[in-house]
């Protein structure tokens, strides 16, 4: 079974699930503070002094560092504190249940399984004389919406030579993920009585042309752009609102757009492409007027070279513990977005599968959490 005991994993993971840490920006979320306090106490009990930093009132990051030999290098292990809300009809989401090898409950997979594995690996590595590396663990707030905790850590000067981001990857080594930018666009028309629509300019009609333009002119260009691990960038219009009354020609219509980014893409490049479509639609549509608002969310993509030290370390550890390894890219974004943006090479690696996250039947396989803990421990010991 290796150096980390299954019973310890079950006990710690159960304790983590029992403390609700729903992101307060989601329905009914009570926030990360009680869980942050719990993990900070655990770290103190191990003899390290965690820094507990409030990123927003009542929403702290917890970071602890165990110094190694000078010049030996510094690895960070990060997992987020927050979870999504319980699903509709999910009974007792914060009561951990063991079903065979599965531990069920909100957050078990995303991402308290990674957190438990990192915590116990850290505890084990602390007492190990052969550890030369400086090892930090960071348990951060606000991942599910906005990645505020990781942004705070990265922009307040924290640096390491490499980072492992704990998310459900089925223990595959993720070396690239897409970014995301979200923004709002509005068409502006002129209202009139619906009995004389020719006196007005219909903003909904204009928006229909614009959405059609995005689908027919832009989507094929995105499809043609391919990354070997991530495939093509995507665009999705997720929300539309317009008009006031059925008998009034609408003077305004708004859409919310979600655009998934490949490495190298940014809001500037995305906006330029959108403007091209707006100009093309405007040239064919009398009185056409559309505005593009600045993005309300923007997280860059992440990509780490497959021959970089952090990837090589991760592969070696997974192979040693599990006998095989897989390298992949994923479409969702993680806290790695901010750490890699300040030059910390990242991999995403953790127990559980993303399909098990965010559902009413969330669970993680205990055996995989045990394997993850052994893998993290190998990396912490520099093996
Ligand atoms: Zn997560």
């Amino acid at each position: 079974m290796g150096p980390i005991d299954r019973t310890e994993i079950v006990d710690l993971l159960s304790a983590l699930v029992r403390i609700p840490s729903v992101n307060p920006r989601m329905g009914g979320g009570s926030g990360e503070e009680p869980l942050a306090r719990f993990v900070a106490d655990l770290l103190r009990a191990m003899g390290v002094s965690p820094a507990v930093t409030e990123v927003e009132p009542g929403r702290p990051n917890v970071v602890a560092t165990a110094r190694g030999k000078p010049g030996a290098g510094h690895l960070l292990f990060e997992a987020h504190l927050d979870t999504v809300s319980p699903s509709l009809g999910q009974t007792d989401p914060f009561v951990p249940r063991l079903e065979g090898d599965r531990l069920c409950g909100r957050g078990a997979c995303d991402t308290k399984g990674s957190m438990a594995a990192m915590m116990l690996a850290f505890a084990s590595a602390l007492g190990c004389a052969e550890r030369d590396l400086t090892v930090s663990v960071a348990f951060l707030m606000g991942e599910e919406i906005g990645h505020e905790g990781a942004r705070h850590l990265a922009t307040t000067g924290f640096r390491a030579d490499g980072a492992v981001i704990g998310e459900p990857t089925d223990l595959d080594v993720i070396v690239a993920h897409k970014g995301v930018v979200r923004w709002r666009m509005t068409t502006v028309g002129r209202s009139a009585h619906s009995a004389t629509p020719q006196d007005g300019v219909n903003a909904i009609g204009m928006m229909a042309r614009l959405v059609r333009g995005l689908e027919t002119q832009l989507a094929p260009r995105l499809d043609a752009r391919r990354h070997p691990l991530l495939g093509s960038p995507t665009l999705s219009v997720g929300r539309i609102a317009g008009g006031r009354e059925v008998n009034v020609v609408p003077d305004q219509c708004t859409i919310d757009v979600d655009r998934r980014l490949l490495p190298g893409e940014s809001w500037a490049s995305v906006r330029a492409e959108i403007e091209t479509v707006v100009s093309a639609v405007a040239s064919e549509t009398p009185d056409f007027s559309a505005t593009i608002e600045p993005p309300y969310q923007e997280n860059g993509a992440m990509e780490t070279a497959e021959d970089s030290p952090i990837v090589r370390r991760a592969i070696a550890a997974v192979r040693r513990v599990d006998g095989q390894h897989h390298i992949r890219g994923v479409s969702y974004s993680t806290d790695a977005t901010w750490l890699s943006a300040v030059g910390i090479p990242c991999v995403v690696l953790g127990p559980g599968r993303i399909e098990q996250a965010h559902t009413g039947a969330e669970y993680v396989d205990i055996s995989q959490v045990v394997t993850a803990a052994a893998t993290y421990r190998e990396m912490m010991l520099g093996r």
Side-chain angles (χ1 to χ4, degrees), residues 108-181:
C109 174
D110 187 5
T111 207
K112 293 178 178 180
S114 294
M115 187 179 292
M118 286 176 175
M119 188 66 95
L120 291 177
F122 189 56
S124 172
L126 277 178
C128 220
E130 70 169 289
R131 179 178 59 83
D132 292 340
L133 289 169
T134 293
V135 177
S136 292
V137 288
F139 303 117
L140 306 182
M141 52 72 77
E143 190 273 345
E144 294 291 355
I145 300 177
H147 307 278
E148 301 95 335
R151 181 172 58 201
H152 185 270
L153 185 71
T155 57
T156 52
F158 182 92
R159 294 296 179 268
D161 301 312
V164 178
I165 310 302
E167 290 282 358
T169 72
D170 209 17
L171 295 179
D172 291 348
V173 179
I174 306 304
V175 298
H177 67 62
K178 287 183 183 173
V180 61
V181 59

Side-chain angles (χ1 to χ4, degrees), residues 255-335:
I255 56 172
D256 283 65
V257 190
D258 175 300
R259 169 78 156 75
R260 300 292 160 146
L261 308 171
L262 290 185
E265 292 186 321
S266 65
W267 169 239
S269 65
V270 166
R271 190 191 160 105
E273 287 182 331
I274 297 292
E275 281 171 349
T276 307
V277 175
V278 169
S279 302
V281 175
S283 70
E284 301 167 347
T285 312
D287 300 320
F288 185 85
S289 166
T291 59
I292 306 170
E293 289 181 27
Y296 51 82
Q297 186 178 350
E298 184 182 9
N299 300 305
M302 181 278 280
E303 184 171 36
T304 305
E306 290 185 29
D307 62 354
S308 68
I310 186 68
V311 176
R312 290 208 310 268
R313 280 177 190 277
I315 289 171
V318 171
R319 286 190 67 84
R320 190 190 287 259
V321 173
D322 214 20
Q324 54 176 350
H325 77 277
H326 303 280
I327 291 184
R328 276 197 294 135
V330 292
S331 297
Y332 56 86
S333 86
T334 75
D335 279 343

Side-chain angles (χ1 to χ4, degrees), residues 15 70 84-85 90 92 190 204 256 258 270-271 273 304 363:
V84 296
S85 310
Q90 188 177 7
D92 297 331
R190 192 173 62 245
I204 291 177
D256 283 65
D258 175 300
V270 166
R271 190 191 160 105
E273 287 182 331
T304 305
Y363 71 91

Side-chain angles (χ1 to χ4, degrees), residues 204-282:
I204 291 177
M206 288 197 287
M207 185 56 84
R209 286 167 182 263
L210 179 56
V211 171
R212 186 91 189 110
L214 294 172
E215 287 173 355
T216 58
Q217 298 171 38
L218 189 53
R221 288 167 61 190
L222 300 185
D223 287 344
R225 203 172 295 159
R226 295 197 69 80
H227 182 281
L229 293 174
L230 299 174
S232 299
T234 56
L235 181 143
S236 171
V237 177
R239 211 182 132 273
I240 186 163
R244 281 191 275 256
E245 300 291 344
V246 70
N247 58 356
V248 178
V249 172
D251 61 353
Q252 199 158 307
C253 185
T254 297
I255 56 172
D256 283 65
V257 190
D258 175 300
R259 169 78 156 75
R260 300 292 160 146
L261 308 171
L262 290 185
E265 292 186 321
S266 65
W267 169 239
S269 65
V270 166
R271 190 191 160 105
E273 287 182 331
I274 297 292
E275 281 171 349
T276 307
V277 175
V278 169
S279 302
V281 175

Side-chain angles (χ1 to χ4, degrees), residues 74-100:
H74 181 186
L75 288 191
L76 167 68
F77 293 77
E78 188 267 353
H80 59 85
L81 292 162
D82 58 323
T83 71
V84 296
S85 310
S87 300
L88 216 62
Q90 188 177 7
T91 47
D92 297 331
F94 307 114
V95 178
R97 286 188 323 283
L98 256 185
E99 294 175 2

